[in-house]
Amino acid sequence: MPETAGMRTPRLIAIVLLALGGSAVSAEALLVHNARGLTLDERGRVLRFDAMSVGADGRVQAIGRMAEVAAKAGDARRVDAGGQVLMPGLIDAHGHVLALGAARRSLQLRDTADLAAALAAVKAHAAARPDAAWITGGGWNQAAWKLGRFPTAAELDSAESARPVWLSRVDGHAGWANSRALRLAGITRDTPDPGGGRIERDAAGEPTGVLVDAAMDLVERLVPAEDAAEMAANLDTAEAELLALGLTSVHDAGISAAADQLLRRRVAAGQLKIRLYGMARGSDAAFMARLRAEGPLKDAAGPESGHYSLRAVKLFADGALGSRGAALIDPYSDAPATRGLLFHGDTELLAQMRAAARAGFQVNVHAIGDAANRQVLAGFEALRREMGARSTELRHRIEHAQVIALADIPRLARDGVIASVQPTHATSDMNMAEDRVGPQRIQGAYAWQRLLRSGARLACGSDFPVEEPSPWAGLYAAVTREDAEGRPVGGWYRQQALTPVHALDCFTRGAAYAGHAEQDVGSLTPGHRADFILVDRDPLTSSPAALLKTRVLQTWVGGRLVHTRPQEP
């Protein structure tokens, strides 16, 4: 078949990349034309254009009609977009970059249909690694297996018993150990539950093999730490996948001291292509002490880079709904003996929030259950009373904001608290969420429209690798409230779905605002960084189902080409 302009452009640029040894094209003035351009302006209105000029500084100079833009672009290099859709690079406001890389390079049970399939996968993985001291991985989900209970150490022993096995649940808030791992950790019927954690036990009080939230540390402290080479490989793996998906920025929800050093080295060497907004891991006391003394890192390589900042702190109020670790005001509807777990008392959590905010850091607190969200909102209200505008200007966030008492929803807007939500959590959790909280509390769960109508700001992400990192799956879930197979028809509590424009705004401008970067990224209006993608369909006019088939043809960051889709045979 004859070659079209849309086919030629990716091929020509791929040749350029090959000639440069795979490195990104250097920043230069560009005139991108023959595009079906779209972006949202500062008021969230849709703008359409067919040409965009980019300065040598990597920022958008103008968008509009080709004749008008070309007249101002001078001798800029022309890039033919081949008639494809040109739109802002997408932003994931909550992910775990190194964990994604590690997940891609380890045993993952996300796609196993049942317990038997999971055990077979563990057995095969262990057999292929006879020299490994530990067998590790994750992604299991007893709800997806329709098991009706947690798996046990005895069951895991049937796949591997000689070496310790440790597998994290899909949400990262529970772990599954075999008997060897329990013995090494010294966990017996006499081991007390740690604060903020729970050891699952059988009717006789014996540990069953599943540890929830803080109890996970009993085993995790024994698992050999990744070395520098493994961390670097994890970063490389994740970055390549994220750029290929059209993500140009990610807010990393839990930067460790080691990850921080790796990222600073990458930025200093000019080797980080994606933009990362870091949330420091608040549980690391030594790391936090150093950061409080140094203050927020607004740009690791100066104001013209914008590739890595560390100006937020990630704290935890509770666990996850699937493992019943989320803290609820009233007991679980399907387990009346428990209300979940608050990780900290009110005074202790407020002290952590206060220390971070007074040092100038945005405070981002994981809160799933309505009791946890209420506790966090009270903490932010206390900070506003104590610090006034200095606190609200930091743009504090609740990460997940999944189940909120209806009376508490207006409190977010009142105190300027951002709801950092993950649309695919709703479609993943709908198989168990209402069982957990019942028909009344579900009204305030995954309630994106209620949050918007209250005046709260939303920022959208995925929480990868808990969920898959595809922002297209996120956009689809946001507008349909259906799973990939279109279930339930009409959407799960569809009245809380976002419009296509609101969904795009949430993955662009909303996420940018949540990272103090709305003047730099999230839009392609003049003055913003030229972070853009070429895709094969328009997310605002395509059918929702078509979103899941979106192909990202090219990804550009700061006017530099950083990803080209491989040529199809």
Side-chain angles (χ1 to χ4, degrees), residues 29-30 52-57 59-63 72-73 525-528:
L30 302 173
M52 176 177 72
S53 65
V54 179
D57 61 355
R59 291 183 181 268
V60 177
Q61 292 182 320
I63 57 173
K72 303 175 183 177
T525 53
H528 285 83

Side-chain angles (χ1 to χ4, degrees), residues 173 198 212-213 317-330 332 338-343 366-372 402-403 437:
H173 287 272
R198 182 176 70 248
V212 179
D213 290 319
D318 67 345
L321 202 61
S323 54
R324 296 191 185 88
L328 301 182
I329 296 169
D330 295 314
Y332 275 78
T338 184
R339 301 185 185 201
L341 301 162
L342 281 175
F343 283 14
H366 164 115
I368 300 286
D370 54 7
Q402 277 187 12
V403 184
V437 302

Side-chain angles (χ1 to χ4, degrees), residues 115 140-143 145-155 169-171 173-176 198-201 208-213 320-325 436:
L115 177 60
W140 60 271
N141 184 352
Q142 84 286 356
W145 294 341
K146 296 181 171 40
L147 199 59
R149 58 172 175 82
F150 282 128
T152 68
E155 289 164 334
R169 192 180 183 277
V170 65
D171 57 16
H173 287 272
W176 179 20
R198 182 176 70 248
I199 300 170
E200 290 293 322
R201 305 172 193 271
T208 63
V210 168
L211 309 176
V212 179
D213 290 319
L321 202 61
S323 54
R324 296 191 185 88
R436 297 286 192 270

